[in-house]
Amino acid sequence: MAQIIKRKLFYGFGALGLIAFIFALTMGLSSGKLSGSTKDVKLGAADPPISQLPPAVEQLSNAFITVAHAVTPAVVQVQVTSTPKAVNVPNGQDSPDNMFKFFFGPDFPFHNFNMPSPHPSPEKALGSGVIVSPDGYIITNNHVVQGVDKDGIKVTLLDNRTFDAKLIGRDPTTDVAVI
């Protein structure tokens, strides 16, 4: 019992110390004592460092712009919906390692808090892909589509048209997937 009380005191004082440190740091930064005066800061240069680009650099820049304009319509947004597997979360009041019980004791009113549901809800994520064939095959990353639900992939083109997609194949080793 004495060990438990010592551990509670240790963690409690550690948490208070960390909160005090963060508070002191933010107060010091906001008052200007730690960050220095902002009156002396001048951003930007009076003159640009290079007034004229060498011809090779300008040609490379123009080539990059031309390629970007040509391939931009092939870049798509990939939105996936997945439902994670159910997690076995013990009931907040019966769990021996419950954080609230540990710090506030067994009589703490748990019902006043929204405890996480043990039943996961669908998750949505965004990624990107590139159309690689005229019939609509898209290459994207495996981590974008990993764990996706059936009928859980939607693709949005540059002109905001949206299509349903399906997973054709994926390779976790190279992090590549085809939809």
Side-chain angles (χ1 to χ4, degrees):
M1 186 66 171
Q3 290 285 14
I4 294 173
I5 293 173
K6 284 181 184 178
R7 187 172 51 180
K8 284 184 181 181
L9 287 174
F10 176 75
Y11 288 127
F13 283 120
L16 284 175
L18 181 62
I19 291 169
F21 173 74
I22 292 171
F23 178 75
L25 184 63
T26 52
M27 292 307 292
L29 287 175
S30 66
S31 68
K33 293 182 181 176
L34 294 177
S35 62
S37 174
T38 58
K39 295 177 185 174
D40 300 333
V41 176
K42 294 180 183 170
L43 300 175
D47 295 319
I50 299 175
S51 58
Q52 187 170 349
L53 293 174
V57 173
E58 195 165 334
Q59 287 174 347
L60 181 62
S61 177
N62 289 337
F64 182 79
I65 291 170
T66 302
V67 169
H69 282 294
V71 300
T72 297
V75 177
V76 298
Q77 178 188 57
V78 179
Q79 180 180 359
V80 296
T81 304
S82 62
T83 305
K85 294 180 180 173
V87 179
N88 187 12
V89 177
N91 186 340
Q93 294 179 352
D94 298 332
S95 175
D97 59 347
N98 183 286
M99 182 176 67
F100 292 115
K101 259 189 191 178
F102 180 77
F103 285 109
F104 303 109
D107 297 329
F108 188 73
F110 297 101
H111 58 277
N112 291 341
F113 294 93
N114 289 331
M115 300 304 276
S117 170
H119 306 291
S121 58
E123 296 177 350
K124 292 190 177 196
L126 290 177
S128 61
V130 178
I131 301 172
V132 293
S133 70
D135 50 351
Y137 285 100
I138 297 169
I139 290 187
T140 187
N141 293 105
N142 177 61
H143 68 264
V144 172
V145 296
Q146 189 172 2
V148 68
D149 292 342
K150 185 180 179 190
D151 302 326
I153 304 174
K154 294 198 182 301
V155 174
T156 304
L157 304 180
L158 184 65
D159 61 3
N160 289 326
R161 289 183 294 158
T162 302
F163 298 95
D164 290 331
K166 68 178 183 175
L167 182 63
I168 302 299
R170 61 189 191 94
D171 181 23
T173 306
T174 58
D175 195 31
V176 173
V178 177
I179 56 175

